[in-house]
Amino acid sequence: MPSSSLTAPGQRAATRPHRARAATKAAKKAATKVAVPALLALLLAACASPGVQRAPAALAAPADLGLADAASPAVAVAWWQAWGDTGLDALVERTLAGQPTLRLAQARLERAGAVIGAVRGEDGPQVALNADATRQHYTKNGMVPAPIAGHTWDSANLTLGLGWELDLWGRRQAALAAALGGERAARAEVAAVRNALATQVVRGWVALARLLAQREVAQRALAQREEMLALIRQRVAAGLDTQVEQRQGEAALPDARVTLEALDEQIRLQRHQLAALSGQAPQALDALAPRLDALRAAPVPEGLGADLLGRRPDVVAARWRVEAASQEVVQARTRFYPDVRLSAFVGLSSLGLDRFLDFDSRTLGAGPALRLPIFEGGQLRAQLQGRAAERDAAIAQYNQTVLDAVREAADALASQASLQRQRTGQAQAQAGVEAAYGLAQQRYRAGLGNYLVVLNAESQLLAQRRLAVDLAARQLDTQAALMKALGGGWADPVAATASASATASTTASTTASATATPVAAAR
């Protein structure tokens, strides 16, 4: 048998310790593989139990509210500029520049951004430098032995510490997601406040223009009655009319003056309201006189698309509130799991400043720390239930906001169509009444008719003119309400970014579906 195939007795004896150590190492490795999962399972089993949690409520879907897949009418961001009134544009811009309500919303946005910074600051290692110096007289009868006891000593410490809490269960990730949701909701709320303020100014502008137009009608009514009274007096002097007709003409004048004074009061109050909206003194807009016939609102086609939910900033804000509340539920659930923190320190510590910088004064250490909630008296479970209730409340608020948004837009569209038909019919009626009034005046001047006929025809004519002003103002007011209901041209920037990314990375067929991204974000 060849010598190479044989093992010497000394060699066999030498291999036994190596085999034993290898076997021991393999056994330890196997034990570690079994022990680590077992330890984790034991830790999780020892944690406080969150209990059974109910599923969250469902979010309102566009299809459930009767919204079509088609897009809603397009709206420009500064939609009021299309009305053709530079005075209105200037007042809206002034309001959006300095209104306290908008500044409050912007302050909330800044606070939400600060919360994001604070949450991000907790992620990753934390480094701190601690330094102190003390001069202390140690008691002679205490626990400190001689030669320190009974003497005064200087002591100093300088430590650089490092701490890092491991995010094993996604707590900080959920906190960051909740903070981002709150910041995006605050950003959408700023847009909602801007949209609401602009709409208030436009509607107030229309209301003031309506009152001024009504005042012109009332002023013309007063002038007509003064002219008729002068004519009646001439006819009474000529023996063609009696004192009855003269008393009737005189009684009509105070009534017309009362109507005029009531309109003047409403005009002053409306100017005060616009001044307050734009952050000015009540008397700042006393000369403001918008004209109703100078406003030209573009017609809006009928139909509400599913992207309405992505254009309404209040709806988007409510949706981000739901997202933030949902992440807070996740964050509350992670508090039932163990926390692991790694810490280390290095520095100098000495008793006596003369040895503070010695190499032997160094101090250092490192190690993990574990916190395991086992029994919290129901505190953690109560916190989780509270977060879940806040999430359900946010969902309910979102659903209600969606319902209000769809109803407001549908109401505005329905009113627009109806008002257009009403104005057409009113114009025909006014034309007939004006012809009848002119004929009645001609007959009365010719002595062929009664003054009561003239007064009746005049009353019908003034009523038609007032109705024409009201319908024109209502149509403009409804147009402004529709612009607000359609979100004022705003779009969620997060959803818009996601839509642009999807468009850049997909084919033409996928691009068509990517246009619904704002709706998905709003859901």
Side-chain angles (χ1 to χ4, degrees), residues 398-434:
Y398 168 79
N399 290 341
Q400 186 60 53
T401 304
V402 169
L403 288 173
D404 292 341
V406 176
R407 178 190 58 78
E408 289 174 6
D411 288 350
L413 286 173
S415 295
Q416 280 280 309
S418 176
L419 286 170
Q420 185 60 43
R421 293 190 293 268
Q422 291 180 50
R423 291 194 68 183
T424 301
Q426 186 276 328
Q428 296 174 354
Q430 182 173 343
V433 170
E434 286 179 348

mmCIF file of all heavy atoms in Angstrom, residues 398-434:
data_model
loop_
_atom_site.group_PDB
_atom_site.id
_atom_site.type_symbol
_atom_site.label_atom_id
_atom_site.label_comp_id
_atom_site.label_asym_id
_atom_site.label_seq_id
_atom_site.Cartn_x
_atom_site.Cartn_y
_atom_site.Cartn_z
ATOM 1 N N TYR A 398 -63.731 63.310 5.080
ATOM 2 C CA TYR A 398 -63.418 63.259 3.648
ATOM 3 C C TYR A 398 -64.659 62.920 2.830
ATOM 4 O O TYR A 398 -64.945 63.581 1.821
ATOM 5 C CB TYR A 398 -62.324 62.230 3.397
ATOM 6 C CG TYR A 398 -62.127 61.900 1.934
ATOM 7 C CD1 TYR A 398 -61.413 62.747 1.102
ATOM 8 C CD2 TYR A 398 -62.678 60.748 1.383
ATOM 9 C CE1 TYR A 398 -61.242 62.464 -0.237
ATOM 10 C CE2 TYR A 398 -62.507 60.452 0.039
ATOM 11 C CZ TYR A 398 -61.801 61.314 -0.764
ATOM 12 O OH TYR A 398 -61.645 61.025 -2.094
ATOM 13 N N ASN A 399 -65.388 61.909 3.253
ATOM 14 C CA ASN A 399 -66.585 61.509 2.508
ATOM 15 C C ASN A 399 -67.602 62.649 2.468
ATOM 16 O O ASN A 399 -68.248 62.885 1.435
ATOM 17 C CB ASN A 399 -67.203 60.270 3.142
ATOM 18 C CG ASN A 399 -66.353 59.025 2.933
ATOM 19 O OD1 ASN A 399 -65.494 58.992 2.037
ATOM 20 N ND2 ASN A 399 -66.554 58.017 3.742
ATOM 21 N N GLN A 400 -67.757 63.360 3.596
ATOM 22 C CA GLN A 400 -68.701 64.472 3.612
ATOM 23 C C GLN A 400 -68.232 65.607 2.715
ATOM 24 O O GLN A 400 -69.033 66.240 2.013
ATOM 25 C CB GLN A 400 -68.875 64.983 5.045
ATOM 26 C CG GLN A 400 -69.942 66.055 5.194
ATOM 27 C CD GLN A 400 -71.318 65.562 4.771
ATOM 28 O OE1 GLN A 400 -71.783 64.526 5.245
ATOM 29 N NE2 GLN A 400 -71.977 66.291 3.886
ATOM 30 N N THR A 401 -66.919 65.860 2.704
ATOM 31 C CA THR A 401 -66.374 66.907 1.836
ATOM 32 C C THR A 401 -66.591 66.561 0.364
ATOM 33 O O THR A 401 -66.915 67.434 -0.448
ATOM 34 C CB THR A 401 -64.879 67.097 2.118
ATOM 35 O OG1 THR A 401 -64.687 67.391 3.509
ATOM 36 C CG2 THR A 401 -64.311 68.243 1.299
ATOM 37 N N VAL A 402 -66.417 65.286 0.028
ATOM 38 C CA VAL A 402 -66.645 64.845 -1.353
ATOM 39 C C VAL A 402 -68.113 65.031 -1.736
ATOM 40 O O VAL A 402 -68.433 65.534 -2.821
ATOM 41 C CB VAL A 402 -66.210 63.380 -1.515
ATOM 42 C CG1 VAL A 402 -66.685 62.830 -2.855
ATOM 43 C CG2 VAL A 402 -64.699 63.266 -1.431
ATOM 44 N N LEU A 403 -69.009 64.627 -0.845
ATOM 45 C CA LEU A 403 -70.441 64.791 -1.125
ATOM 46 C C LEU A 403 -70.795 66.260 -1.327
ATOM 47 O O LEU A 403 -71.542 66.609 -2.254
ATOM 48 C CB LEU A 403 -71.258 64.194 0.025
ATOM 49 C CG LEU A 403 -71.276 62.670 0.133
ATOM 50 C CD1 LEU A 403 -71.979 62.241 1.419
ATOM 51 C CD2 LEU A 403 -71.971 62.044 -1.069
ATOM 52 N N ASP A 404 -70.267 67.125 -0.464
ATOM 53 C CA ASP A 404 -70.552 68.556 -0.603
ATOM 54 C C ASP A 404 -69.975 69.102 -1.901
ATOM 55 O O ASP A 404 -70.603 69.943 -2.567
ATOM 56 C CB ASP A 404 -69.967 69.319 0.590
ATOM 57 C CG ASP A 404 -70.685 68.997 1.890
ATOM 58 O OD1 ASP A 404 -71.822 68.491 1.830
ATOM 59 O OD2 ASP A 404 -70.100 69.231 2.973
ATOM 60 N N ALA A 405 -68.785 68.646 -2.274
ATOM 61 C CA ALA A 405 -68.155 69.136 -3.497
ATOM 62 C C ALA A 405 -68.985 68.776 -4.728
ATOM 63 O O ALA A 405 -69.234 69.618 -5.596
ATOM 64 C CB ALA A 405 -66.744 68.570 -3.625
ATOM 65 N N VAL A 406 -69.398 67.533 -4.794
ATOM 66 C CA VAL A 406 -70.185 67.092 -5.953
ATOM 67 C C VAL A 406 -71.530 67.801 -5.988
ATOM 68 O O VAL A 406 -72.005 68.232 -7.055
ATOM 69 C CB VAL A 406 -70.357 65.568 -5.915
ATOM 70 C CG1 VAL A 406 -71.249 65.098 -7.057
ATOM 71 C CG2 VAL A 406 -69.001 64.875 -6.003
ATOM 72 N N ARG A 407 -72.161 67.959 -4.816
ATOM 73 C CA ARG A 407 -73.458 68.636 -4.787
ATOM 74 C C ARG A 407 -73.317 70.099 -5.200
ATOM 75 O O ARG A 407 -74.143 70.619 -5.974
ATOM 76 C CB ARG A 407 -74.052 68.550 -3.385
ATOM 77 C CG ARG A 407 -75.387 69.284 -3.237
ATOM 78 C CD ARG A 407 -75.806 69.381 -1.795
ATOM 79 N NE ARG A 407 -74.806 70.051 -0.987
ATOM 80 C CZ ARG A 407 -74.625 71.367 -0.945
ATOM 81 N NH1 ARG A 407 -75.391 72.167 -1.685
ATOM 82 N NH2 ARG A 407 -73.696 71.904 -0.181
ATOM 83 N N GLU A 408 -72.295 70.786 -4.678
ATOM 84 C CA GLU A 408 -72.123 72.194 -5.021
ATOM 85 C C GLU A 408 -71.908 72.377 -6.529
ATOM 86 O O GLU A 408 -72.489 73.284 -7.138
ATOM 87 C CB GLU A 408 -70.936 72.768 -4.245
ATOM 88 C CG GLU A 408 -71.199 72.933 -2.759
ATOM 89 C CD GLU A 408 -69.958 73.373 -2.020
ATOM 90 O OE1 GLU A 408 -68.938 73.658 -2.694
ATOM 91 O OE2 GLU A 408 -69.985 73.432 -0.772
ATOM 92 N N ALA A 409 -71.093 71.529 -7.121
ATOM 93 C CA ALA A 409 -70.843 71.645 -8.555
ATOM 94 C C ALA A 409 -72.110 71.332 -9.352
ATOM 95 O O ALA A 409 -72.433 72.028 -10.325
ATOM 96 C CB ALA A 409 -69.710 70.718 -8.965
ATOM 97 N N ALA A 410 -72.822 70.286 -8.951
ATOM 98 C CA ALA A 410 -74.054 69.932 -9.663
ATOM 99 C C ALA A 410 -75.107 71.025 -9.528
ATOM 100 O O ALA A 410 -75.811 71.358 -10.492
ATOM 101 C CB ALA A 410 -74.583 68.599 -9.131
ATOM 102 N N ASP A 411 -75.212 71.598 -8.315
ATOM 103 C CA ASP A 411 -76.179 72.685 -8.116
ATOM 104 C C ASP A 411 -75.837 73.890 -8.980
ATOM 105 O O ASP A 411 -76.728 74.517 -9.581
ATOM 106 C CB ASP A 411 -76.205 73.094 -6.641
ATOM 107 C CG ASP A 411 -76.869 72.051 -5.749
ATOM 108 O OD1 ASP A 411 -77.466 71.101 -6.300
ATOM 109 O OD2 ASP A 411 -76.781 72.181 -4.515
ATOM 110 N N ALA A 412 -74.546 74.229 -9.029
ATOM 111 C CA ALA A 412 -74.146 75.391 -9.819
ATOM 112 C C ALA A 412 -74.417 75.172 -11.305
ATOM 113 O O ALA A 412 -74.898 76.082 -11.998
ATOM 114 C CB ALA A 412 -72.663 75.692 -9.584
ATOM 115 N N LEU A 413 -74.136 73.970 -11.804
ATOM 116 C CA LEU A 413 -74.408 73.686 -13.215
ATOM 117 C C LEU A 413 -75.898 73.731 -13.511
ATOM 118 O O LEU A 413 -76.327 74.259 -14.550
ATOM 119 C CB LEU A 413 -73.822 72.322 -13.577
ATOM 120 C CG LEU A 413 -72.301 72.239 -13.713
ATOM 121 C CD1 LEU A 413 -71.856 70.809 -13.905
ATOM 122 C CD2 LEU A 413 -71.817 73.118 -14.871
ATOM 123 N N ALA A 414 -76.701 73.167 -12.600
ATOM 124 C CA ALA A 414 -78.151 73.184 -12.802
ATOM 125 C C ALA A 414 -78.686 74.615 -12.767
ATOM 126 O O ALA A 414 -79.545 74.997 -13.584
ATOM 127 C CB ALA A 414 -78.831 72.331 -11.739
ATOM 128 N N SER A 415 -78.182 75.427 -11.837
ATOM 129 C CA SER A 415 -78.645 76.816 -11.755
ATOM 130 C C SER A 415 -78.222 77.608 -12.982
ATOM 131 O O SER A 415 -78.978 78.461 -13.473
ATOM 132 C CB SER A 415 -78.082 77.468 -10.491
ATOM 133 O OG SER A 415 -78.596 76.845 -9.326
ATOM 134 N N GLN A 416 -77.010 77.335 -13.488
ATOM 135 C CA GLN A 416 -76.555 78.031 -14.695
ATOM 136 C C GLN A 416 -77.506 77.790 -15.864
ATOM 137 O O GLN A 416 -77.903 78.726 -16.562
ATOM 138 C CB GLN A 416 -75.153 77.553 -15.060
ATOM 139 C CG GLN A 416 -74.036 78.189 -14.251
ATOM 140 C CD GLN A 416 -73.683 79.581 -14.757
ATOM 141 O OE1 GLN A 416 -73.449 79.777 -15.944
ATOM 142 N NE2 GLN A 416 -73.673 80.541 -13.856
ATOM 143 N N ALA A 417 -77.851 76.537 -16.067
ATOM 144 C CA ALA A 417 -78.746 76.211 -17.187
ATOM 145 C C ALA A 417 -80.123 76.838 -16.985
ATOM 146 O O ALA A 417 -80.724 77.382 -17.919
ATOM 147 C CB ALA A 417 -78.864 74.691 -17.324
ATOM 148 N N SER A 418 -80.637 76.776 -15.745
ATOM 149 C CA SER A 418 -81.960 77.339 -15.476
ATOM 150 C C SER A 418 -81.963 78.858 -15.617
ATOM 151 O O SER A 418 -82.906 79.444 -16.173
ATOM 152 C CB SER A 418 -82.415 76.931 -14.069
ATOM 153 O OG SER A 418 -83.650 77.531 -13.756
ATOM 154 N N LEU A 419 -80.919 79.523 -15.107
ATOM 155 C CA LEU A 419 -80.875 80.979 -15.181
ATOM 156 C C LEU A 419 -80.783 81.469 -16.620
ATOM 157 O O LEU A 419 -81.334 82.528 -16.951
ATOM 158 C CB LEU A 419 -79.686 81.497 -14.378
ATOM 159 C CG LEU A 419 -79.854 81.448 -12.852
ATOM 160 C CD1 LEU A 419 -78.539 81.749 -12.162
ATOM 161 C CD2 LEU A 419 -80.933 82.431 -12.414
ATOM 162 N N GLN A 420 -80.113 80.728 -17.457
ATOM 163 C CA GLN A 420 -80.045 81.115 -18.860
ATOM 164 C C GLN A 420 -81.436 81.089 -19.488
ATOM 165 O O GLN A 420 -81.816 82.001 -20.238
ATOM 166 C CB GLN A 420 -79.088 80.190 -19.620
ATOM 167 C CG GLN A 420 -78.857 80.596 -21.066
ATOM 168 C CD GLN A 420 -78.256 81.987 -21.186
ATOM 169 O OE1 GLN A 420 -77.352 82.355 -20.445
ATOM 170 N NE2 GLN A 420 -78.788 82.773 -22.121
ATOM 171 N N ARG A 421 -82.213 80.054 -19.173
ATOM 172 C CA ARG A 421 -83.590 79.985 -19.693
ATOM 173 C C ARG A 421 -84.461 81.082 -19.086
ATOM 174 O O ARG A 421 -85.308 81.675 -19.781
ATOM 175 C CB ARG A 421 -84.178 78.607 -19.403
ATOM 176 C CG ARG A 421 -83.493 77.475 -20.179
ATOM 177 C CD ARG A 421 -84.274 76.179 -20.042
ATOM 178 N NE ARG A 421 -84.243 75.674 -18.672
ATOM 179 C CZ ARG A 421 -83.348 74.820 -18.198
ATOM 180 N NH1 ARG A 421 -82.382 74.377 -18.995
ATOM 181 N NH2 ARG A 421 -83.396 74.400 -16.958
ATOM 182 N N GLN A 422 -84.261 81.369 -17.798
ATOM 183 C CA GLN A 422 -85.042 82.428 -17.154
ATOM 184 C C GLN A 422 -84.746 83.787 -17.775
ATOM 185 O O GLN A 422 -85.668 84.603 -17.989
ATOM 186 C CB GLN A 422 -84.730 82.468 -15.654
ATOM 187 C CG GLN A 422 -85.243 81.260 -14.880
ATOM 188 C CD GLN A 422 -84.904 81.353 -13.410
ATOM 189 O OE1 GLN A 422 -85.148 82.376 -12.768
ATOM 190 N NE2 GLN A 422 -84.324 80.291 -12.860
ATOM 191 N N ARG A 423 -83.487 84.054 -18.074
ATOM 192 C CA ARG A 423 -83.134 85.346 -18.658
ATOM 193 C C ARG A 423 -83.726 85.499 -20.056
ATOM 194 O O ARG A 423 -84.137 86.602 -20.461
ATOM 195 C CB ARG A 423 -81.617 85.497 -18.710
ATOM 196 C CG ARG A 423 -80.960 85.632 -17.360
ATOM 197 C CD ARG A 423 -79.531 86.107 -17.496
ATOM 198 N NE ARG A 423 -79.453 87.468 -17.978
ATOM 199 C CZ ARG A 423 -78.318 88.114 -18.241
ATOM 200 N NH1 ARG A 423 -77.160 87.476 -18.096
ATOM 201 N NH2 ARG A 423 -78.323 89.362 -18.669
ATOM 202 N N THR A 424 -83.775 84.406 -20.791
ATOM 203 C CA THR A 424 -84.379 84.478 -22.128
ATOM 204 C C THR A 424 -85.867 84.825 -22.034
ATOM 205 O O THR A 424 -86.373 85.702 -22.757
ATOM 206 C CB THR A 424 -84.181 83.141 -22.853
ATOM 207 O OG1 THR A 424 -82.778 82.851 -22.957
ATOM 208 C CG2 THR A 424 -84.798 83.183 -24.241
ATOM 209 N N GLY A 425 -86.564 84.141 -21.134
ATOM 210 C CA GLY A 425 -87.985 84.434 -20.963
ATOM 211 C C GLY A 425 -88.224 85.814 -20.391
ATOM 212 O O GLY A 425 -89.171 86.520 -20.798
ATOM 213 N N GLN A 426 -87.375 86.252 -19.470
ATOM 214 C CA GLN A 426 -87.555 87.576 -18.867
ATOM 215 C C GLN A 426 -87.330 88.677 -19.893
ATOM 216 O O GLN A 426 -88.031 89.701 -19.879
ATOM 217 C CB GLN A 426 -86.596 87.727 -17.693
ATOM 218 C CG GLN A 426 -86.770 89.005 -16.888
ATOM 219 C CD GLN A 426 -86.031 90.181 -17.491
ATOM 220 O OE1 GLN A 426 -84.971 90.006 -18.094
ATOM 221 N NE2 GLN A 426 -86.615 91.377 -17.361
ATOM 222 N N ALA A 427 -86.358 88.495 -20.767
ATOM 223 C CA ALA A 427 -86.114 89.508 -21.801
ATOM 224 C C ALA A 427 -87.326 89.677 -22.700
ATOM 225 O O ALA A 427 -87.683 90.806 -23.088
ATOM 226 C CB ALA A 427 -84.884 89.126 -22.619
ATOM 227 N N GLN A 428 -87.991 88.579 -23.035
ATOM 228 C CA GLN A 428 -89.193 88.675 -23.855
ATOM 229 C C GLN A 428 -90.315 89.387 -23.100
ATOM 230 O O GLN A 428 -91.031 90.234 -23.664
ATOM 231 C CB GLN A 428 -89.632 87.273 -24.271
ATOM 232 C CG GLN A 428 -88.621 86.558 -25.158
ATOM 233 C CD GLN A 428 -89.018 85.127 -25.430
ATOM 234 O OE1 GLN A 428 -89.992 84.603 -24.883
ATOM 235 N NE2 GLN A 428 -88.239 84.456 -26.285
ATOM 236 N N ALA A 429 -90.463 89.061 -21.801
ATOM 237 C CA ALA A 429 -91.506 89.704 -21.001
ATOM 238 C C ALA A 429 -91.237 91.198 -20.843
ATOM 239 O O ALA A 429 -92.160 92.030 -20.925
ATOM 240 C CB ALA A 429 -91.598 89.033 -19.630
ATOM 241 N N GLN A 430 -89.981 91.577 -20.633
ATOM 242 C CA GLN A 430 -89.656 92.984 -20.459
ATOM 243 C C GLN A 430 -89.917 93.765 -21.740
ATOM 244 O O GLN A 430 -90.386 94.915 -21.694
ATOM 245 C CB GLN A 430 -88.198 93.139 -20.028
ATOM 246 C CG GLN A 430 -87.794 94.591 -19.784
ATOM 247 C CD GLN A 430 -86.398 94.715 -19.207
ATOM 248 O OE1 GLN A 430 -85.847 93.738 -18.708
ATOM 249 N NE2 GLN A 430 -85.828 95.912 -19.280
ATOM 250 N N ALA A 431 -89.627 93.176 -22.864
ATOM 251 C CA ALA A 431 -89.895 93.867 -24.129
ATOM 252 C C ALA A 431 -91.379 94.159 -24.283
ATOM 253 O O ALA A 431 -91.773 95.258 -24.717
ATOM 254 C CB ALA A 431 -89.377 93.025 -25.287
ATOM 255 N N GLY A 432 -92.225 93.193 -23.901
ATOM 256 C CA GLY A 432 -93.669 93.419 -23.996
ATOM 257 C C GLY A 432 -94.160 94.480 -23.018
ATOM 258 O O GLY A 432 -95.015 95.326 -23.363
ATOM 259 N N VAL A 433 -93.605 94.478 -21.787
ATOM 260 C CA VAL A 433 -94.027 95.448 -20.779
ATOM 261 C C VAL A 433 -93.588 96.853 -21.173
ATOM 262 O O VAL A 433 -94.344 97.829 -20.974
ATOM 263 C CB VAL A 433 -93.457 95.057 -19.400
ATOM 264 C CG1 VAL A 433 -93.678 96.168 -18.384
ATOM 265 C CG2 VAL A 433 -94.111 93.779 -18.907
ATOM 266 N N GLU A 434 -92.394 96.997 -21.744
ATOM 267 C CA GLU A 434 -91.934 98.317 -22.176
ATOM 268 C C GLU A 434 -92.824 98.866 -23.285
ATOM 269 O O GLU A 434 -93.136 100.073 -23.313
ATOM 270 C CB GLU A 434 -90.482 98.229 -22.654
ATOM 271 C CG GLU A 434 -89.471 98.071 -21.522
ATOM 272 C CD GLU A 434 -88.058 97.960 -22.041
ATOM 273 O OE1 GLU A 434 -87.889 97.781 -23.264
ATOM 274 O OE2 GLU A 434 -87.121 98.034 -21.213
#
